[in-house]
Amino acid sequence: MQTWSTTSMIAVAVAAAAVGAVISASVGRTSGQAAPAAARTADGRPDFSGIWQANNEANWDLQAHEARPGAVTQQGVYPYAYARVPAAPVLALGAAGGVPASLGVVDGDGQIPYTPEAAAVRKENGERWIDRDPELKCYLPGIPRAMYMPYPFQIVQGTNKINMAYAFTSTARTIHLDKVEGPPDDTYMGHSVGRWEGDTLVVDVTNFNGKNWFDRAGNFHSEALHLVERFTPLSRDAIRYEVTIEDPKVFTRPWTISMPIYRRLEPNMELLEYRCIEFVEEFLYGNVRKQQLVKRWEGDTIIVDITRKVPPGDQLYEWYRR
């Protein structure tokens, strides 16, 4: 029979007391103490200045979804959805190429109310992700996608303007709190006009060019997109971000997504550029080289041979315009 020494029992008692103290302190923080109040500007508004980042799976798919072996898959041994396997372009990535599961960020019933025609396009988008997702081409991500991509962004808040700078493809937008003229043309990032409703910053975003996606699952919109964003402070280090989405060309009714966005708390945190256009030049233009550059990759168990092609006629230009 195992026996415990006095020293062992004292060590266990000390450890138990330490764990109890940690639990007690945690309970005290969550139940007996209020979260730190949000910072304020000189005119009393919530101060959102800082570097922020979402912590969810919305960029993979806004809707609730189970984990998948890849963003593009093919039929496996059995003809069931759960038995699908990664398609050739992502097979060599292993677990790093999988899609993590998510409870989703779509409010209400969790469904996106597509028209029947748009639902067919969304399905086709998902199946043709590599050809169609603007993120893979390093195009500007648009709103709201820029807010929940897995990259930080910085808010610099002034009296009449709020500037947001995003690490992904070094893009930015300005939220106008004063009266301004509309833009001369539609753009990827749209035109943002804000106002305060109490402590909530409400932003109307219009003038999109209709070339963005909401996520990697193929959820999309047209140039008729109209967003109403709401930024509400939850604490000094968290914001509730809510977006009502309206697009009569694609959806049968308005719908809403919501999520918390968190402040990056590293003491030396700064926004670093992710100028991905330099990284996708071969993806974008390698097929029109006179001599193919990237031809083959060989690992211990996989050999990947790459054959590039140039789509005929206007299909080449349509690929870039998507």
Side-chain angles (χ1 to χ4, degrees):
M1 177 180 292
Q2 183 179 11
T3 59
W4 287 47
S5 66
T6 301
T7 302
S8 297
M9 288 188 289
I10 291 173
V12 171
V14 170
V19 170
V22 170
I23 294 174
S24 177
S26 176
V27 170
R29 284 195 299 270
T30 58
S31 62
Q33 299 179 12
R40 298 275 173 177
T41 61
D43 59 359
R45 301 296 189 185
D47 187 358
F48 295 132
S49 294
I51 298 179
W52 304 83
Q53 190 167 349
N55 184 19
N56 58 35
E57 302 78 30
N59 191 52
W60 283 105
D61 191 340
L62 294 179
Q63 295 181 273
H65 59 272
E66 62 184 2
R68 300 192 292 268
V72 284
T73 60
Q74 68 177 50
Q75 182 176 315
V77 176
Y78 304 103
Y80 306 116
Y82 69 83
R84 293 181 68 84
V85 298
V90 296
L91 178 63
L93 297 178
V99 178
S102 173
L103 297 176
V105 297
V106 180
D107 290 355
D109 62 4
Q111 300 302 307
I112 298 177
Y114 282 105
T115 66
E117 297 79 10
V121 174
R122 185 262 181 231
K123 182 177 183 297
E124 188 176 292
N125 283 344
E127 295 169 350
R128 301 297 301 273
W129 171 63
I130 291 176
D131 276 329
R132 295 190 178 183
D133 188 350
E135 179 189 2
L136 273 66
K137 299 171 184 174
C138 193
Y139 292 171
L140 301 185
I143 303 298
R145 191 175 186 180
M147 302 298 297
Y148 49 77
M149 295 183 81
Y151 307 93
F153 62 93
Q154 185 167 14
I155 300 177
V156 179
Q157 184 171 332
T159 303
N160 297 322
K161 310 285 184 184
I162 296 177
N163 291 308
M164 294 187 177
Y166 302 90
F168 182 80
T169 195
S170 301
T171 191
R173 70 161 165 161
T174 297
I175 299 173
H176 304 279
L177 300 176
D178 52 353
K179 188 174 182 179
V180 294
E181 293 184 3
D185 198 1
D186 296 337
T187 65
Y188 282 92
M189 301 301 289
H191 179 63
S192 300
V193 178
R195 65 185 186 277
W196 291 99
E197 292 183 359
D199 281 351
T200 297
L201 173 66
V202 182
V203 185
D204 275 274
V205 195
T206 57
N207 294 98
F208 290 98
N209 62 17
K211 296 182 179 181
N212 294 111
W213 282 12
F214 291 113
D215 55 28
R216 294 173 178 171
N219 290 305
F220 74 106
H221 62 81
S222 77
E223 73 283 357
L225 178 67
H226 171 220
L227 304 178
V228 178
E229 300 174 287
R230 293 180 176 271
F231 298 79
T232 304
L234 296 174
S235 70
R236 184 180 296 271
D237 301 319
I239 298 170
R240 174 179 168 81
Y241 179 63
E242 178 183 303
V243 191
T244 298
I245 297 163
E246 183 178 10
D247 185 339
K249 291 186 176 181
V250 178
F251 310 115
T252 59
R253 58 172 173 81
W255 52 286
T256 301
I257 63 173
S258 61
M259 67 192 73
I261 294 175
Y262 303 97
R263 186 188 301 275
R264 293 289 296 264
L265 296 176
E266 299 91 326
N268 61 340
M269 184 62 191
E270 60 181 279
L271 193 70
L272 303 176
E273 293 182 319
Y274 183 59
R275 300 182 62 85
C276 50
I277 192 64
E278 302 169 8
F279 308 147
V280 299
E281 286 183 355
E282 191 62 29
F283 174 71
L284 287 172
Y285 311 117
N287 59 329
V288 295
R289 287 182 180 275
K290 289 184 177 180
Q291 298 293 329
Q292 183 176 335
L293 179 65
V294 179
K295 300 179 179 180
R296 181 183 175 93
W297 180 88
E298 184 170 343
D300 290 339
T301 63
I302 293 178
I303 296 175
V304 179
D305 288 308
I306 298 173
T307 301
R308 302 300 301 262
K309 69 176 184 179
V310 178
D314 289 342
Q315 293 181 33
L316 173 64
Y317 307 104
E318 289 299 327
W319 189 85
Y320 291 112
R321 283 197 289 263
R322 288 196 185 102

